[in-house]
Amino acid sequence: MKVVSDEPNIRQRLADNLRRLRKERGWSHEDLAAIGQIHRTQIGKIEQARQNTGIDIIERLAKTFGVQPGDLLNSDSSRSSDRSSDDIDHRS
């Protein structure tokens, strides 16, 4: 039996959270690309939910925004932008 949910898929949640966090900071795609060291066209594709994004890129984006990687994938991620980067363990 297939369960259907009205909740956006994980790719769309990542897109929505990335766009929200970027706009909260007033960054353009070019700004985020430079800060996060990710090509600006890739950021555009992620925000349009057209790219299957690897865990390394998700981790890099999370570090750039000072959030946990899971916060980028959660549907209720409004709390992620309220977190300080001091609260995050940056061990590699």
Side-chain angles (χ1 to χ4, degrees):
M1 174 186 229
K2 184 176 179 180
V3 177
V4 178
S5 172
D6 291 335
E7 188 172 314
N9 67 36
I10 198 163
R11 191 181 297 173
Q12 187 61 54
R13 291 191 310 255
L14 174 61
D16 294 344
N17 291 329
L18 179 61
R19 185 179 312 104
R20 179 183 50 77
L21 289 168
R22 181 180 59 77
K23 287 184 175 185
E24 283 176 358
R25 286 156 177 78
W27 294 348
S28 67
H29 284 155
E30 290 79 11
D31 295 333
L32 179 53
I35 296 165
Q37 299 179 339
I38 301 166
H39 198 278
R40 68 173 176 73
T41 59
Q42 185 174 13
I43 291 167
K45 289 177 183 178
I46 295 168
E47 283 192 6
Q48 294 169 15
R50 292 186 340 178
Q51 175 147 342
N52 190 10
T53 306
I55 193 69
D56 292 337
I57 297 299
I58 292 171
E59 182 177 40
R60 189 177 306 159
L61 288 167
K63 285 181 179 181
T64 299
F65 287 114
V67 299
Q68 292 293 321
D71 292 337
L72 293 175
L73 306 175
N74 289 331
S75 57
D76 181 27
S77 63
S78 58
R79 62 183 174 81
S80 66
S81 62
D82 297 334
R83 295 174 68 177
S84 165
S85 60
D86 296 338
D87 295 339
I88 298 172
D89 185 359
H90 290 286
R91 286 180 274 168
S92 297

